[in-house]
Amino acid sequence: MTHPFFAKHQETLERALHTIESRGYWSPFSEMPSPRVYGETAQADGEAAFKQYLNAAFPLEQQGSTGTAGQETSPFGFALGTTYPGFDIDTLLARVTKAHASWRAATPDAWVGVSLEILKRLNARSFEMANAVMHTTGQAFMMAFQAGGPHAQDRGLEAVAYAWDELRRIPGTAYWEKPQGKNPPLAMEKRFTIVPRGVALVLGCCTFPTWNGYPGLFASLATGNAVIVKPHPGAILPLAITVKIAREVLAEAGFDPDVVTLAATNPNDGAIVQQLAKRGEVRVIDFTGSTANGDWLETNARQAQVYTEKAGVNQIVIDSTDDLKGLARNVAFSLALYSGQMCTAPQNIYIPRDGIETPEGKVSFDDVVAAIAGGVQKLTSDPAKAVELIGAIQNEGVVARIDEARKAGKVVLDSQPLVHPAFADARVRTPLLLQLDVKDENVFTREWFGPIAFFIAVDSSAQAFDLAGRIARDHGALTLAAYTTTAEGEAAAVDAALTGGVALSLNLTGGVFVNQSAAFSDFHGTGANPAANASLADAAFVSNRFRVVQSRRHVPAKSAQDAPSAA
């Protein structure tokens, strides 16, 4: 029989399957925080639920827990004071391994059905999640609601859809018959059993804990693997809420709730993470974070299938444009959004030193820079409005990086602290924009994560496109944007994207920005350059999370049974 949760959500799943093939727009989860969608009291209820977590023990019961963890501080200026169950690695892995055995024995429609029900319940709690994401990442409320809630849920559903698409290709049984000429045919019955890899480990990041965490979580869960969720110490609460909801659904469906388990840690947890990641029980790892940590996992967690998203240098090439105002407005917004703390945010902006062609004639390098910098300044000049776009800085390391970057080039627009009208102690900084020359490659081939961007004078557009492709290929990138009005420029941009294995956006001047990625349509990351070894999401992201084990036996040949008897 089909699992009840699978039947309940089958229509949504079918629509998701159709959309990952058509790559058009669709989402079952509303991105607008409307009371008509989420309920008249949803906003107040979500805020109240968040406040109940403050200065309290998080309500999560995990047997075998040892001690507590939790030292989160809101980028908006206060300590959360939330504590979470601690863990002993041996005890944790023993319990999760036991839970994995029972989850593995369930059917694929149960894995998928339970995953879909978790996502549905997460969506109903989107206001609660928005507050948790806002006060751990520094995102402004609207971004926290959208990226931390519905958009993250979309990414989780996308992974489930890809998982089911691969799982349903494997038949449970098959009849095999091979003719043998005049001799009786060979006939066999073959049975195919989907076997999950084992315990999966999700290592969360501090800027987008759900958006980056859900693809791996749900890809592993929907392919039959138990999952340990290890959040970044600075952003535990969003994933703790996720784990709590998942465990409630699992228990309701009759499964061991330890199929999804929280492993919360305090800061400076590198030794614990490395010890956990190298354990033989851990067979899948999903990681978002620094290149150093990602490289370590790929090199040392050899027993596991490791999926990483790491640092990259995102770039924009400005060759020519038929809408300089739209270009400046679009790029300025991309630079300011969430203070550049997005893995897709642009950093390097290449402009020919002798200027660019526009319908009004040639515009100088300095004027192009001034147009974009002026757009950023306009967006950030009013603190009350600015903070709803730029949010707050997630951690002090980003602030220190801003200070370091001031020495790296000529300051075009300096970063300024802003006073948040609702949170006086919020850590708010406007973008820092600097000017470099193409010869300063030692500076701009490094990722300067945060509100830091460089205007780089190049000798020609051809040089810029060659540079963009090479940097993406050698240093990694998740996004590349280009502005050009010529067929030659577009061809060069496409070639740079293919050389660098990076997603390309052309001539964005409207309401779509290079740092945005839409579930079911955009492939986030390619796995074709050092910034990521996988894409979120595609078939490759899910298919290696399980294996197929077959058994076979001889059976009577059907053709012999069907043959007419001799007269």
Side-chain angles (χ1 to χ4, degrees):
M1 293 181 61
T2 301
H3 192 277
F5 281 149
F6 185 93
K8 177 181 177 181
H9 300 293
Q10 190 164 5
E11 183 177 344
T12 298
L13 179 60
E14 291 296 331
R15 185 69 186 275
L17 289 167
H18 170 75
T19 309
I20 62 173
E21 292 180 359
S22 67
R23 312 308 295 182
Y25 171 76
W26 173 74
S27 172
F29 306 124
S30 175
E31 68 177 7
M32 298 308 296
S34 170
R36 287 178 293 180
V37 176
Y38 290 95
E40 294 295 331
T41 65
Q43 182 170 357
D45 292 345
E47 185 176 0
F50 166 72
K51 288 182 176 178
Q52 286 186 338
Y53 297 133
L54 301 180
N55 302 308
F58 186 81
L60 181 69
E61 292 186 8
Q62 293 186 166
Q63 293 186 18
S65 298
T66 303
T68 60
Q71 297 178 18
E72 295 157 291
T73 299
S74 170
F76 293 96
F78 60 91
L80 268 61
T82 312
T83 57
Y84 308 88
F87 65 94
D88 168 77
I89 290 178
D90 290 335
T91 304
L92 173 72
L93 285 172
R95 295 195 62 83
V96 176
T97 300
K98 178 182 176 183
H100 171 76
S102 62
W103 184 239
R104 181 186 64 194
T107 55
D109 64 291
W111 303 335
V112 170
V114 168
S115 298
L116 293 170
E117 179 65 16
I118 294 169
L119 286 164
K120 181 67 175 178
R121 296 192 191 185
L122 282 167
N123 179 248
R125 306 263 289 270
S126 291
F127 279 97
E128 177 183 337
M129 186 64 74
N131 282 276
V133 169
M134 175 180 177
H135 286 293
T136 52
T137 69
Q139 295 174 31
F141 179 81
M142 182 58 80
M143 175 181 269
F145 180 89
Q146 293 180 337
H151 293 175
Q153 296 147 19
D154 282 341
R155 280 300 187 191
L157 176 57
E158 182 182 35
V160 173
Y162 272 106
W164 179 248
D165 199 31
E166 295 303 309
L167 293 169
R168 67 177 178 171
R169 298 176 191 273
I170 312 299
T173 61
Y175 172 76
W176 181 87
E177 183 177 303
K178 181 179 181 181
Q180 296 294 299
K182 295 181 180 180
N183 296 317
L186 298 173
M188 303 195 81
E189 178 192 76
K190 301 184 180 184
R191 298 182 180 181
F192 306 100
T193 302
I194 294 169
V195 181
R197 270 191 175 270
V199 174
L201 174 63
V202 174
L203 299 173
C205 67
C206 61
T207 47
F208 288 89
T210 56
W211 198 96
N212 278 105
Y214 282 4
L217 166 59
F218 284 99
S220 287
L221 192 64
T223 51
N225 302 280
V227 184
I228 297 172
V229 179
K230 209 301 292 182
H232 188 283
I236 301 172
L237 184 56
L239 290 177
I241 295 170
T242 302
V243 169
K244 185 175 188 298
I245 292 171
R247 290 171 67 87
E248 290 168 356
V249 174
L250 285 160
E252 185 177 318
F255 295 105
D256 187 336
D258 284 340
V259 167
V260 178
T261 308
L262 182 71
T265 60
N266 289 319
N268 302 315
D269 61 352
I272 299 172
V273 173
Q274 291 184 1
Q275 184 181 351
L276 184 58
K278 290 176 67 175
R279 287 290 293 257
E281 300 95 324
V282 174
R283 306 310 298 273
V284 180
I285 298 175
D286 289 276
F287 167 82
T288 301
S290 71
T291 296
N293 289 335
D295 287 348
W296 187 93
L297 289 166
E298 291 172 358
T299 302
N300 294 279
R302 302 181 66 85
Q303 84 292 347
Q305 177 68 36
V306 178
Y307 301 91
T308 59
E309 181 186 314
K310 301 176 288 188
V313 180
N314 300 317
Q315 305 164 92
I316 297 176
V317 176
I318 303 178
D319 165 63
S320 54
T321 183
D322 56 10
D323 182 5
L324 181 58
K325 289 183 179 179
L327 178 158
R329 189 166 51 244
N330 189 281
V331 173
F333 188 93
S334 297
L335 295 172
L337 185 61
Y338 185 34
S339 298
Q341 297 172 111
M342 304 175 71
C343 56
T344 51
Q347 173 182 296
N348 294 355
I349 304 171
Y350 306 111
I351 305 168
R353 65 177 78 254
D354 62 352
I356 67 169
E357 295 293 340
T358 75
E360 291 73 36
K362 199 151 201 178
V363 177
S364 70
F365 174 93
D366 289 341
D367 286 345
V368 176
V369 169
I372 297 171
V376 172
Q377 193 166 26
K378 183 177 180 181
L379 288 170
T380 58
S381 60
D382 181 347
K385 294 179 180 179
V387 295
E388 298 306 321
L389 173 64
I390 67 176
I393 301 298
Q394 203 283 329
N395 62 75
E396 289 290 349
V398 176
V399 176
R401 194 172 300 118
I402 294 170
D403 292 338
E404 179 189 358
R406 281 195 182 94
K407 307 168 188 175
K410 175 185 174 183
V411 174
V412 173
L413 183 66
D414 203 359
S415 176
Q416 303 291 335
L418 296 183
V419 176
H420 196 293
F423 302 99
D425 296 325
R427 190 167 45 227
V428 181
R429 301 291 188 277
T430 62
L432 171 67
L433 307 180
L434 302 111
Q435 182 177 329
L436 296 175
D437 188 86
V438 69
K439 293 180 290 187
D440 300 318
E441 196 167 322
N442 63 314
V443 176
F444 60 76
T445 53
R446 163 189 166 187
E447 183 190 50
W448 295 76
F449 185 79
I452 301 163
F454 303 108
F455 297 108
I456 301 166
V458 294
D459 297 333
S460 66
S461 295
Q463 182 186 44
F465 285 122
D466 288 344
L467 190 62
R470 175 169 60 81
I471 288 177
R473 181 194 66 203
D474 296 345
H475 299 275
L478 291 173
T479 62
L480 170 65
Y483 291 88
T484 182
T485 58
T486 69
E488 294 81 5
E490 183 171 336
V494 171
D495 184 68
L498 297 178
T499 298
V502 59
L504 172 66
S505 297
L506 281 168
N507 297 320
L508 298 183
T509 56
V512 176
F513 305 94
V514 67
N515 26 7
Q516 295 174 322
S517 179
F520 308 109
S521 186
D522 295 324
F523 291 102
H524 177 72
T526 63
N529 68 59
N533 70 0
S535 178
L536 306 180
D538 60 9
F541 186 65
V542 299
S543 60
N544 216 13
R545 296 171 191 262
F546 66 89
R547 285 290 179 257
V548 179
V549 176
Q550 73 168 35
S551 63
R552 59 186 182 176
R553 60 176 181 153
H554 285 293
V555 293
K558 291 182 179 180
S559 60
Q561 296 172 358
D562 296 339
S565 58

